[in-house]
Amino acid sequence: MRRILYFIFIGLALQFVSMGVKAQKTIVEEGLTYYVDKKEAFEAATLQHKYVFLFWGSVACSRCKTVKKNLASASLRSLLDDNYILWYSDVNEYERDAPEVVDYLSAVPTPYVPYPALCIIDTSDITKAYSLVWGQALAVYQLYEMLNNHVANEDVSDYKGLSRAYISQHNLVVQSNVANEEISVYAVTGSLVDKFRKTEQTRTRDASSYPPGILIVTGSSGWTRKVIAAK
């Protein structure tokens, strides 16, 4: 009986240790959960059919803290939760040329300190970064442009792959192969935010009054895109 109790105790102890180790492989920053283990991040992204969002930075970096706060804003949080698995890589553990991150950070200039660096990685091609921004110039506009260029032009529906819509510095940019069409902008709740006519293949529209968060842009020729409006 003592032997049985002993093995039960050992089994429970090992289980608690295992749970503790697993818990250490994620961190919570500004309410967002980041994987700190690359393998686990990619496994989670593959299982959930999401992209990996790499944040390469330092806990002592004031720019990094500011960007983390921007990521946790109400207008981005749901977007990140729906589309990405967050992976935090600390510069003190993984330098720019470390094998774990070098493929994604190869475009980052040296010898300057460029962090934080952010990039989007497709798990179907883990050696390439879809998009990359870095350094002191990594303001909230750059962050929104990065996500707009990815999520907004992923899919809702397309018109022969020739339509694009994104918001850059409070301007909505709409491009399509149909010069004359009506453009509508909706909130995710379905309420109409804006409507206008595009008489050329590319039209820029003031979006400063748009509500923050994810918006749906549709063209009367039959395409639909997501965009992300900043505060």
Side-chain angles (χ1 to χ4, degrees):
M1 186 64 179
R2 287 183 178 178
R3 180 171 292 183
I4 293 174
L5 291 174
Y6 172 78
F7 282 116
I8 291 175
F9 173 79
I10 293 297
L12 290 172
L14 289 173
Q15 184 178 358
F16 281 119
V17 169
S18 175
M19 289 173 62
V21 170
K22 186 174 182 179
Q24 292 176 359
K25 293 185 178 180
T26 61
I27 59 172
V28 178
E29 297 279 353
E30 300 291 338
L32 291 174
T33 300
Y34 293 80
Y35 283 80
V36 295
D37 181 86
K38 178 181 179 180
K39 182 179 178 181
E40 287 193 358
F42 277 80
E43 287 177 349
T46 301
L47 287 172
Q48 298 179 43
H49 305 289
K50 295 181 179 181
Y51 293 89
V52 172
F53 187 97
L54 170 61
F55 188 113
W56 183 68
S58 169
V59 294
C61 167
S62 60
R63 298 189 302 272
C64 299
K65 294 177 182 177
T66 299
V67 174
K68 284 178 181 176
K69 288 182 179 179
N70 289 334
L71 288 173
S73 66
S75 55
L76 288 184
R77 183 187 295 271
S78 61
L79 176 81
L80 293 171
D81 288 340
D82 291 343
N83 296 277
Y84 303 102
I85 293 296
L86 304 181
W87 167 33
Y88 176 73
S89 180
D90 194 290
V91 299
N92 297 308
E93 185 174 357
Y94 301 108
E95 296 183 353
R96 177 186 172 280
D97 57 354
E100 290 81 1
V101 297
V102 66
D103 288 330
Y104 318 122
L105 304 178
S106 58
V108 176
T110 56
Y112 305 106
V113 179
Y115 50 82
L118 311 177
C119 69
I120 296 168
I121 307 162
D122 188 339
T123 55
S124 65
D125 189 356
I126 64 174
T127 63
K128 294 181 180 179
Y130 182 93
S131 183
L132 174 66
V133 292
W134 67 82
Q136 191 167 4
L138 184 61
V140 65
Y141 290 133
Q142 224 178 330
L143 176 59
Y144 274 81
E145 282 187 42
M146 174 188 182
L147 292 171
N148 262 289
N149 285 331
H150 185 241
V151 173
N153 294 291
E154 266 300 286
D155 65 349
V156 176
S157 67
D158 196 16
Y159 184 75
K160 298 182 180 179
L162 298 176
S163 63
R164 296 185 72 228
Y166 60 92
I167 292 179
S168 174
Q169 298 191 18
H170 294 307
N171 287 312
L172 171 64
V173 181
V174 179
Q175 300 170 334
S176 71
N177 64 331
V178 178
N180 190 1
E181 64 178 334
E182 190 172 76
I183 306 300
S184 300
V185 183
Y186 298 92
V188 291
T189 58
S191 59
L192 182 65
V193 173
D194 193 9
K195 179 177 284 190
F196 58 94
R197 182 157 292 277
K198 180 173 70 67
T199 57
E200 297 179 351
Q201 290 190 345
T202 299
R203 171 72 189 272
T204 300
R205 177 85 163 176
D206 181 12
S208 58
S209 63
Y210 290 2
I214 301 173
L215 302 173
I216 308 297
V217 180
T218 66
S220 57
S221 61
W223 56 267
T224 305
R225 291 296 190 187
K226 294 179 183 177
V227 298
I228 310 158
K231 291 181 178 180

